[in-house]
Amino acid sequence: MEAAITILALLFVAFIALGVYATVKAVGAAKRGVDRTITQARRTVEDTTLRAKSFGQTGVAGELAQLRLALRTSMRATQDALYAGVAEDSSLAESVGLFHRLSAHGLELDDELKRLEREPDRATVAALLPQLKERTQRITHSADSLRWAARDRARQFADDDLDALNAQIDIEAGALRHWTVEEQRPQQASGAASQGPGAGAGRAHDAGVDWPEPTAGAGNSSTADESWGGPAREEAPQAITAPDPHLRTRYPWQKAARPETTN
């Protein structure tokens, strides 16, 4: 009885611990979702504000807004491209590490540009603009290089996979149309047979070979047949004994030879 109570108590404690763990995980996931939503909303508002400043303001404030907008757009596009590609291509991990190092310089520059937007001394800020533009161009150029290299790599992999798939499909299509190969074989065989002996005789005649002329008589019939490319006929065996004259068949149109008369 005491063992059963102990087991039930342990199960109750385990269920409570599992419920607490699930609750903590759910709260953490919800908090992360809320933070992500707030971050995206803040980012959208800030980007919209920068666009409005870059188009609506002139002078130093407008140029600073354009620099920040170009920097943030390039870095965000590169981040999305690399993070999407590293899930399928592990070789992009080194590129992601380089982007993290580049992001540190980009965030530092973005913070500096943001502070200069609130700087009241516009002359000093205008003197710093050439240097800030150069730094922005260097960072965005590096980010763009990483992004386009990752996209070109993904496109090349897609082209290679498509080529291999097309080759496999061609092989499979040929295997499915196996009857076409079987139909071509009899046609090739009939064409070779039609070009057999007759074609050989024609080629021999064209090459200047003189065939013997057939001679008169039944015994030369095989030679005549061979000269036209036909099969040679075998000669009938001759009888050993002489034919009986009484067995000869006479026809009414055959006349007997007249005996010669003597004067």
Side-chain angles (χ1 to χ4, degrees):
M1 186 65 182
E2 295 179 355
I5 294 174
T6 303
I7 292 173
L8 290 175
L10 291 175
L11 290 175
F12 180 73
V13 172
F15 282 132
I16 291 177
L18 183 61
V20 171
Y21 177 77
T23 303
V24 171
K25 295 293 288 184
V27 171
K31 184 179 179 180
R32 287 192 297 271
V34 171
D35 293 340
R36 190 181 304 110
T37 303
I38 293 174
T39 302
Q40 290 178 355
R42 186 184 298 113
R43 183 185 304 166
T44 302
V45 171
E46 193 169 2
D47 291 343
T48 304
T49 304
L50 289 175
R51 288 191 180 91
K53 288 181 178 180
S54 61
F55 290 108
Q57 294 182 358
T58 59
V60 178
E63 292 183 1
L64 289 176
Q66 291 178 3
L67 291 178
R68 288 192 64 196
L69 184 61
L71 177 64
R72 293 166 65 90
T73 303
S74 177
M75 297 297 289
R76 188 177 299 118
T78 304
Q79 179 180 356
D80 295 341
L82 291 179
Y83 285 175
V86 75
E88 300 178 357
D89 187 4
S90 59
S91 61
L92 292 178
E94 185 175 358
S95 300
V96 173
L98 293 175
F99 176 74
H100 287 165
R101 295 173 57 186
L102 184 64
S103 296
H105 294 277
L107 292 174
E108 182 181 357
L109 178 60
D110 185 66
D111 292 338
E112 184 176 357
L113 293 173
K114 189 175 183 180
R115 287 193 304 268
L116 292 175
E117 286 180 351
R118 298 187 296 268
E119 178 64 37
D121 189 359
R122 295 301 179 181
T124 304
V125 177
L128 294 176
L129 275 178
Q131 181 182 359
L132 295 174
K133 289 180 180 180
E134 182 183 359
R135 288 178 59 189
T136 305
Q137 290 176 359
R138 291 176 62 185
I139 294 175
T140 55
H141 176 72
S142 298
D144 294 343
S145 297
L146 283 176
R147 183 175 69 254
W148 284 110
R151 289 177 178 176
D152 292 342
R153 182 180 179 85
R155 188 183 305 110
Q156 183 63 36
F157 283 164
D159 292 340
D160 293 342
D161 184 68
L162 182 60
D163 293 339
L165 180 61
N166 289 335
Q168 293 178 1
I169 289 175
D170 291 340
I171 294 174
E172 182 64 20
L176 292 175
R177 295 192 185 96
H178 60 88
W179 66 86
T180 58
V181 179
E182 295 178 356
E183 290 177 355
Q184 290 176 359
R185 289 176 181 175
Q187 293 177 359
Q188 293 177 357
S190 61
S194 63
Q195 295 178 359
R203 286 193 299 268
H205 182 71
D206 294 338
V209 179
D210 294 331
W211 294 94
E213 293 293 334
T215 58
N220 297 328
S221 60
S222 61
T223 306
D225 292 335
E226 291 177 358
S227 65
W228 292 103
R233 293 183 295 181
E234 297 181 357
E235 296 181 357
Q238 297 180 356
I240 298 176
T241 58
D244 189 359
H246 297 286
L247 297 177
R248 294 180 179 176
T249 304
R250 285 196 170 273
Y251 296 97
W253 58 82
Q254 293 179 349
K255 295 183 181 181
R258 296 181 180 180
E260 297 180 358
T261 57
T262 55
N263 295 328

